[in-house]
Amino acid sequence: MAKREILEFPDERLRNVAAPIDTFDAELQTLIDDMIETMYDARGIGLAATQVDVHRRLIVIDVSEDQSQPLVLVNPEYTPIGEAQEPMQEGCLSIPEYYAEVPRYLKVRLNAQDRNGEAYELEAEGLLAHCIQHENDHLEGKLFVDYLSPLKRDRVMKKMQKRHKLQEA
């Protein structure tokens, strides 16, 4: 396993739409393991392949308190269960040190494949439902800052550009 570099906003590669996965080979297994290690190392609860510059429909999530229950979502699709939404504070490994309230559906039905290509379905609510929606947005080239006002989004972009300049110095 190896940690991978996480792309940071405003990197345009985060805007790429991910392609479906149809081959469940050793390369995919390595990517899954690397993503789980990268997510844990960055102290995140979710990571989309797009964030590590692999534009394939793959997400890893672990909302357990002790990070012992990683979920692998290959080719995930979700549908809301009901219309109820609730704002929840979101952060993102691609936008470090910035948080904002984003409304998401309270409950979703997820259809995905596991790391071996086996189809599964689950109903999620609360933090897991929120995380599924956030990470799925990444696969569509969308970031949580896209839900913010243009003024707030511009402020985040300037903060991230300043951060990158300081890192380069």
Side-chain angles (χ1 to χ4, degrees):
M1 293 193 298
K3 288 180 277 185
R4 299 204 179 203
E5 179 184 353
I6 298 172
L7 300 178
E8 290 188 0
F9 179 72
D11 193 310
E12 283 302 311
R13 293 172 289 179
L14 290 166
R15 299 302 185 175
N16 291 339
V17 176
I21 293 172
D22 52 16
T23 304
F24 292 78
D25 56 8
E27 185 178 322
L28 178 64
Q29 301 308 314
T30 298
L31 175 60
I32 291 167
D33 292 339
D34 289 355
M35 285 177 58
I36 291 170
E37 181 178 347
T38 302
M39 175 183 67
Y40 288 156
D41 183 68
R43 298 219 245 334
I45 60 171
L47 184 68
T50 302
Q51 294 176 270
V52 293
D53 201 20
V54 177
H55 305 285
R56 310 290 306 282
R57 297 192 76 76
L58 171 63
I59 294 168
V60 295
I61 292 176
D62 191 342
V63 296
S64 66
E65 286 192 29
D66 62 355
Q67 293 191 317
S68 65
Q69 299 170 29
L71 283 174
V72 175
L73 290 63
V74 179
N75 299 320
E77 294 180 3
Y78 74 87
T79 52
I81 299 174
E83 296 297 315
Q85 292 189 4
E86 180 177 79
M88 185 182 283
Q89 186 134 58
E90 280 190 26
C92 181
L93 296 176
S94 291
I95 310 172
E97 301 170 19
Y98 185 80
Y99 302 88
E101 297 255 319
V102 177
R104 302 276 189 186
Y105 291 102
L106 291 175
K107 293 176 86 172
V108 298
R109 178 171 291 107
L110 171 74
N111 288 290
Q113 292 168 280
D114 66 14
R115 68 185 306 141
N116 301 311
E118 296 295 320
Y120 70 94
E121 181 179 299
L122 66 84
E123 288 188 9
E125 58 186 310
L127 182 58
L128 179 56
H130 208 86
C131 191
I132 287 168
Q133 293 168 80
H134 174 105
E135 298 305 333
N136 208 71
D137 275 355
H138 279 296
L139 301 182
E140 300 300 327
K142 190 170 186 176
L143 300 169
F144 86 94
V145 293
D146 297 340
Y147 294 93
L148 305 178
S149 70
L151 179 65
K152 285 184 180 178
R153 192 169 41 251
D154 190 49
R155 205 176 301 149
V156 174
M157 183 171 317
K158 286 178 180 164
K159 181 178 178 179
M160 292 301 295
Q161 287 169 334
K162 183 178 180 181
R163 173 186 164 94
H164 293 146
K165 282 182 184 174
L166 287 173
Q167 287 175 342
E168 291 169 7

